[in-house]
Amino acid sequence: QFTEEKLGQAEKTELDAHFENLLARADCTKNWTEKILRQTEVLLQPNPSARVEEFLYEKLDRKVPSRVTNGELLAQYMTEAANDFGPGTPYGKTLIKVGETQRRLGAAEREFIRSASINFLTPLRNFLEGDWRTISKERRILQNRRLDLDACKARLKKAKAAEAKAAVTP
């Protein structure tokens, strides 16, 4: 039935226009959700190898090791430099102040990444891995049922044509 429909040799039962609209909206939602999810992951972790590592940890159901943010690393370097120059020198004092600010910025960045992952990325993944799989499964079932219906209609049509032909020729 599917092949005959594709070749234009069989009639296809059309689905309700409202339902077709819902299917199109679902496809659009899925596509945009995937794009937004991927781009957010790139924004939160620009390093591709680190993203792959995080993905592997996630698939293995292991905890992703905590990484030092660039701000925290810079703060560490500034604090070490300040200790080298002497915390009492003007340059040392400045490095300590700026280093502490960088440390707080790095901690805020780490918290933002954690929060965005939990509160934003997790619901997107749940939609793609849960709801979308259910939609796809139900869509396949519906398509198979429609094909079965159309095949039965075609057999009925052929049977009626054969019956009419048998009734005409005694």
Side-chain angles (χ1 to χ4, degrees):
Q1 181 68 33
F2 179 78
T3 306
E4 287 180 359
E5 284 178 12
K6 290 299 178 186
L7 296 173
Q9 297 173 347
E11 289 182 35
K12 177 180 176 182
T13 301
E14 295 299 324
L15 299 173
D16 180 51
H18 177 66
F19 185 72
E20 289 284 351
N21 184 30
L22 287 175
L23 289 176
R25 284 180 44 205
D27 287 336
C28 185
T29 301
K30 179 219 179 226
N31 292 335
W32 280 111
T33 302
E34 286 176 335
K35 288 177 184 178
I36 290 168
L37 176 72
R38 278 193 308 270
Q39 194 56 43
T40 303
E41 288 173 337
V42 168
L43 175 74
L44 295 177
Q45 179 50 267
N47 184 345
S49 61
R51 280 197 312 273
V52 169
E53 182 183 356
E54 289 172 3
F55 175 77
L56 290 175
Y57 274 107
E58 187 179 301
K59 289 301 175 192
L60 296 173
D61 287 332
R62 292 205 169 151
K63 188 176 182 323
V64 179
S66 183
R67 281 195 172 70
V68 177
T69 65
N70 290 329
E72 290 170 320
L73 190 59
L74 179 59
Q76 180 183 343
Y77 290 163
M78 288 180 166
T79 304
E80 289 172 9
N83 289 333
D84 253 4
F85 289 116
T89 65
Y91 189 41
K93 285 180 187 177
T94 303
L95 283 174
I96 288 175
K97 265 188 183 176
V98 175
E100 180 57 28
T101 303
Q102 280 296 330
R103 187 193 61 73
R104 288 197 310 264
L105 284 171
E109 179 184 5
R110 177 192 304 277
E111 177 56 26
F112 169 72
I113 290 170
R114 187 191 70 72
S115 175
S117 179
I118 292 171
N119 298 319
F120 186 69
L121 294 179
T122 300
L124 295 180
R125 283 190 190 105
N126 288 344
F127 167 74
L128 292 172
E129 294 169 4
D131 297 342
W132 180 253
R133 284 194 177 150
T134 303
I135 291 169
S136 297
K137 181 180 147 203
E138 296 298 328
R139 182 185 266 178
R140 281 191 303 275
I141 291 170
L142 177 64
Q143 176 74 357
N144 289 334
R145 298 288 193 269
R146 187 196 57 76
L147 287 170
D148 290 345
L149 173 66
D150 288 349
C152 288
K153 282 182 179 179
R155 279 198 306 263
L156 179 64
K157 192 175 183 181
K158 286 179 186 176
K160 283 185 178 181
E163 191 178 284
K165 186 177 182 183
V168 170
T169 54

